[in-house]
Amino acid sequence: ELKVEQNPLFLSMQEGKNYTIYCNYSTTSDRLYWYRQDPGKSLESLFVLLSNGAVKQEGRLMASLDTKARLSTLHITAAVHDLSATYFCAVDTNAGKSTFGDGTTLTVKP
Amino acid sequence: DTGVSQDPRHKITKRGQNVTFRCDPISEHNRLYWYRQTLGQGPEFLTYFQNEAQLEKSRLLSDRFSAERPKGSFSTLEIQRTEQGDSAMYLCASSFEFNRGPYNEQFFGPGTRLTVL
C-alpha cells in the first residue's frame, strides 16, 4: 500500500525566511502533485511533477522531484504572510487515484 | 463558472438519515473522483469513475456508501444510515485522462461539509 509522509506537519516561519517541506513516498510513482488548502476551502493545484529531476517554480514556491529517492520538496523563498496555508503532496498510482500526505500547516509571522 | 461544482455545500443531518451529494465536473473531463477529508488530515480516496464506469472503490467505502455517474457527466454520492463518524468534508475532483498522458491534473470542487448529529 502506498504511503505518503510529509514533514514537518507544522511550520512557523518569519517573513523573509526560507524553508523546505519534504514529501516521501513508499512505492514507485510517475506523478506527484502539490496542493494548497486555505482554512475551510478546497484544494488548489500548485504543481504537477511528472519525471525524475523535474523542477517547477511559481513565485516564491519551487517544487522538485527525485523519483529514485522517492522524495519531493517544496521550497519556500522569502516567505510572506499570504503563503500561510496547509500544503499537501499527493502521489498518483498507475490506477490514477491520488494518495495524499497529512499536510504541512504553514504559518508565516511578521 | 467552468470549474467543478458541488451541491450542497453544507449538510447537517441526524444519525440514521440518508444523504445524497452531487458533483458536476469540468465538462470535458472524463474522470471524476470522490475523496473524504476529516479535520487535520489529507483527503482520502473513496472512488473514481472514467466516463460512466466506476473503476475503483476504496475499502473505506462501506456498503452504506454508493456512487453513480449515470451518463458520464455529473455524479452522486449517497450515504445511507449516516453515522457520526461520517462527518467530514466530501470533495469531488475531475481530470482528463488519455493514454496515461500528462493531463491527469485533478481539479477540486469546493466540497460538501457533512455534519451528522
Side-chain angles (χ1 to χ4, degrees):
Chain A
E1 180 184 343
L2 174 60
K3 293 191 185 302
V4 180
E5 292 187 351
Q6 287 183 237
N7 71 84
L9 297 182
F10 297 93
L11 177 57
S12 181
M13 299 176 62
Q14 288 214 302
E15 280 190 332
K17 299 291 187 184
N18 305 333
Y19 210 83
T20 300
I21 299 170
Y22 298 88
C23 174
N24 291 89
Y25 54 100
S26 61
T27 62
T28 302
S29 173
D30 60 353
R31 294 179 189 174
L32 188 138
Y33 309 87
W34 284 96
Y35 295 91
R36 169 181 171 143
Q37 187 174 40
D38 292 298
K41 305 288 188 181
S42 190
L43 282 80
E44 173 191 354
S45 178
L46 295 175
F47 301 109
V48 181
L49 302 170
L50 300 175
S51 61
N52 189 44
V55 176
K56 290 195 174 180
Q57 182 163 4
E58 181 74 34
R60 300 174 188 274
L61 301 178
M62 183 174 71
S64 66
L65 178 61
D66 181 343
T67 57
K68 295 179 181 177
R70 298 176 185 165
L71 170 69
S72 179
T73 60
L74 181 67
H75 186 74
I76 302 155
T77 302
V80 293
H81 179 70
D82 285 353
L83 291 179
S84 297
T86 299
Y87 293 85
F88 291 96
C89 65
V91 177
D92 201 346
T93 67
N94 287 332
K97 70 182 186 183
S98 289
T99 299
F100 284 77
D102 283 338
T104 297
T105 298
L106 171 65
T107 303
V108 181
K109 298 180 178 180
Chain B
D1 185 357
T2 56
V4 178
S5 62
Q6 291 186 245
D7 184 69
R9 297 289 302 276
H10 303 273
K11 179 71 177 178
I12 300 173
T13 191
K14 293 183 179 179
R15 189 176 55 183
Q17 298 294 305
N18 299 344
V19 295
T20 300
F21 309 141
R22 176 179 170 126
C23 171
D24 287 88
I26 293 171
S27 59
E28 62 268 27
H29 284 183
N30 56 358
R31 282 205 173 178
L32 187 149
Y33 306 79
W34 285 99
Y35 293 86
R36 180 172 68 186
Q37 186 178 25
T38 53
L39 199 62
Q41 303 289 320
E44 295 175 295
F45 170 81
L46 293 178
T47 188
Y48 84 99
F49 295 83
Q50 176 138 336
N51 301 312
E52 65 274 11
Q54 188 173 19
L55 296 187
E56 187 171 347
K57 293 193 297 185
S58 165
R59 61 179 182 274
L60 292 175
L61 217 62
S62 75
D63 292 345
R64 298 184 296 106
F65 288 71
S66 62
E68 293 183 340
R69 194 183 183 198
K71 298 181 180 178
S73 56
F74 73 92
S75 174
T76 58
L77 177 68
E78 182 183 15
I79 309 174
Q80 295 182 327
R81 304 181 303 281
T82 52
E83 302 172 357
Q84 288 183 324
D86 297 331
S87 295
M89 175 80 89
Y90 290 83
L91 294 166
C92 174
S94 70
S95 70
F96 179 77
E97 177 80 9
F98 179 72
N99 286 343
R100 199 62 184 158
Y103 302 105
N104 196 34
E105 181 178 2
Q106 294 180 32
F107 294 85
F108 282 79
T112 294
R113 183 167 296 283
L114 173 66
T115 302
V116 182
L117 301 176

